[in-house]
Amino acid sequence: MPLTTYWLEHAWLDTHVEPGVALTVSPSGSATDPADGRIAAVRTGVDTPPPGAVVLRGLTIPGLANAHSHAFHRALRGTVQVGSGTFWTWRETMYTVAQRLTPDSYFALARAVYAEMALAGITAVGEFHYLHHAPGGTPYADPNAMGEALIAAAGEAGIRITLLDTAYLSAGFGAAPEQHQLRFTDGTADRWAERVSALKERDGVRLGAAIHSVRAVPADQLATVARWAQDREAPLHVHLSEQTAENDACLAAHGRTPTQLLADHGVLGARTTGVHNTHMTDADIALIGSTSTGTCMCPTTERDLADGIGPAVALQRAGSPLSLGSDSHAVVDLLEEARAMELDERLRTRTRGHWTAAALLRAATADGHAALGWADAGTLEAGALADFTTIALDSVRTAGPVPRLAAETAVFAAAAADVRHTIVGGRRIVRDGIHHSVPDVGQALADSIAALRG
């Protein structure tokens, strides 16, 4: 297949914005499959587009990595913003939506959600997947039908997926699953491992594991999930200390914090990511950092659910790589998540400048991809996967600043609506703000969500 040259008016090259960059890419696979296309060469100082080059005007950055997604939560947008309540009342609404999904309706919804992500410049998603079985807990004929629906949806939307298949076994510290949680559970970690082992990686798809939380996986079964991931050198994610109530219950049940409990059972490590890491002691932070366990911050969801502001600065200083996720999809905008991490910290500390724009972009790109097992993505350099996105610099939000400040403009002013092009595996998935296979993403979202209403 012939090489394609993209001419980037401005490109973010990890540390700075470079004008006039030519990327030569070697696409492969089909138009709907983000296969292993890679960047073959990067040339700087190319003032004008080479003959035949695809011109991308604006700022081109590596594709964004959404390190934490629950696709079906997109159906909650708007509904759960009515009135007040807590994380725990929000969860009851979430259970209602979860009960109505089938493999077919989940595919339709996830395809639209992943297309929305592509429009927002996201080229890889980590899907924290725990909706496994039919209502009542009966397995489908294919026990992985729901996971396969997510994989197929990502393929049609044109983005890469790491399916973080999630062990969810308990209603809380040994309590049997409640009725609305029966769809989530395999009964034991061994049976979870048997089911998930039947899934196979393929082009554009990587497999990982997840522990829903220390309240949902009994302590004596944590190591089974950790070993499954370790044996496959796969990513392992876990909701961690999102709520003070979980911390209190863990202390009551085990006499230690959730972080300490995970450490005792071999869960922490360089391929592990704690999602949220909001309510942590100094000892917890030191454990996370000393084991190089990652931290995925989801600021919009954490604000929406009134969870709190996590100690991201302290965690990173301790040695925890940071990534970002849209989680419940109150919005799908990784640029918003990046700036929110900085702005929330400013509110908490009443000081400015905790991260540079470059550091925030790295969390949204290279470090996010690494957390999902795509260490060969997230940079614009030869040999990397040819996944990148272009942000307009002439919109009402981004017009005005000089081009050398384009990274600051993107992080602190731009929105998902400013994404013009998204390329995955060297192929344009989004062109001029239009998705190639889902031309009306809004209608696809509306139709798939309407189908779930009771």
Side-chain angles (χ1 to χ4, degrees):
M1 189 172 292
L3 299 178
T4 301
T5 297
Y6 288 91
W7 182 78
L8 318 180
E9 185 181 28
H10 303 283
W12 181 65
L13 300 182
D14 191 46
T15 58
H16 66 286
V17 174
E18 182 78 22
V21 175
L23 291 186
T24 303
V25 305
S26 52
S28 61
S30 69
T32 59
D33 184 6
D36 201 26
R38 293 185 180 270
I39 298 173
V42 179
R43 290 187 293 134
T44 58
V46 184
D47 296 334
T48 58
V54 177
V55 175
L56 302 181
R57 296 202 178 274
L59 173 68
T60 297
I61 65 174
L64 301 168
N66 188 353
H68 189 66
S69 163
H70 301 292
F72 77 90
H73 290 190
R74 176 61 178 81
L76 302 173
R77 187 184 295 178
T79 303
V80 290
Q81 279 74 39
V82 175
S84 59
T86 67
F87 167 86
W88 307 100
T89 55
W90 168 91
R91 194 173 68 152
E92 294 305 314
T93 305
M94 178 270 289
Y95 286 150
T96 300
V97 172
Q99 288 302 307
R100 295 174 180 157
L101 285 160
T102 67
D104 288 343
S105 63
Y106 205 6
F107 166 79
L109 175 60
R111 175 177 177 267
V113 174
Y114 296 152
E116 181 182 4
M117 291 184 193
L119 291 179
I122 293 164
T123 56
V125 61
E127 185 61 39
F128 199 102
H129 166 55
Y130 56 84
L131 186 54
H132 301 307
H133 305 301
T138 302
Y140 290 102
D142 174 0
N144 288 303
M146 296 295 266
E148 291 289 356
L150 291 165
I151 289 170
E156 289 219 2
I159 68 172
R160 302 182 195 274
I161 185 171
T162 297
L163 188 72
L164 299 162
D165 196 287
T166 305
Y168 193 131
L169 309 174
S170 169
F173 297 102
E178 298 173 5
Q179 180 64 32
H180 43 243
Q181 296 166 330
L182 294 176
R183 297 197 74 173
F184 309 160
T185 182
D186 292 293
T188 68
D190 285 333
R191 287 203 288 270
W192 166 84
E194 181 181 2
R195 178 184 54 75
V196 72
S197 294
L199 286 163
K200 304 300 179 187
E201 292 191 343
R202 60 209 80 164
D203 285 342
V205 179
R206 292 189 179 164
L207 300 177
I211 293 164
H212 180 274
S213 56
V214 293
R215 70 178 185 272
V217 177
D220 61 359
Q221 299 189 60
L222 292 170
T224 300
V225 184
R227 278 195 303 271
W228 186 95
Q230 183 178 15
D231 289 348
R232 292 159 178 78
E233 299 184 347
L236 173 61
H237 288 215
V238 54
H239 289 134
L240 182 55
S241 288
E242 182 177 5
Q243 291 286 323
T244 55
E246 177 180 276
N247 287 5
D248 294 343
C250 189
L251 285 165
H254 297 290
R256 61 202 65 229
T257 67
T259 299
Q260 292 165 336
L261 186 67
L262 293 176
D264 289 347
H265 293 276
V267 175
L268 304 184
R271 284 191 299 273
T272 300
T273 297
V275 181
H276 305 303
N277 292 2
T278 306
H279 302 286
M280 306 214 117
T281 67
D282 290 344
D284 291 339
I285 292 169
L287 264 176
I288 293 290
S290 66
T291 55
S292 300
T293 300
T295 296
C296 179
M297 301 296 291
C298 306
T300 300
T301 293
E302 289 150 9
R303 291 182 298 189
D304 185 49
L305 298 180
D307 287 342
I309 300 170
V313 171
L315 284 160
Q316 189 173 51
R317 286 176 179 166
S320 179
L322 299 180
S323 55
L324 295 163
S326 63
D327 193 359
S328 67
H329 311 315
V331 299
V332 173
D333 188 338
L334 263 288
L335 299 173
E336 168 62 21
E337 304 298 343
R339 73 172 149 265
M341 188 164 68
E342 165 68 23
L343 297 182
D344 285 356
E345 190 66 17
R346 292 182 186 186
L347 284 175
R348 191 178 71 82
T349 63
R350 290 179 289 174
T351 59
R352 303 176 77 226
H354 302 278
W355 292 278
T356 63
L360 293 169
L361 282 175
R362 278 194 292 276
T365 57
D367 289 347
H369 280 96
L372 297 177
W374 299 94
D376 48 354
T379 60
L380 299 180
E381 59 185 34
L385 290 169
D387 300 353
F388 42 95
T389 189
T390 302
I391 300 164
L393 296 178
D394 58 357
S395 76
V396 294
R397 288 165 292 276
T398 60
V402 295
R404 67 181 175 81
L405 298 177
E408 286 76 9
T409 303
V411 170
F412 290 104
D418 296 311
V419 169
R420 292 293 175 265
H421 311 287
T422 301
I423 288 86
V424 182
R427 298 180 178 279
R428 272 202 281 191
I429 304 305
V430 173
R431 178 176 181 171
D432 296 321
I434 304 297
H435 195 280
H436 79 98
S437 63
V438 190
D440 192 340
V441 177
Q443 191 63 54
L445 286 162
D447 291 346
S448 60
I449 292 169
L452 300 177
R453 295 194 182 109

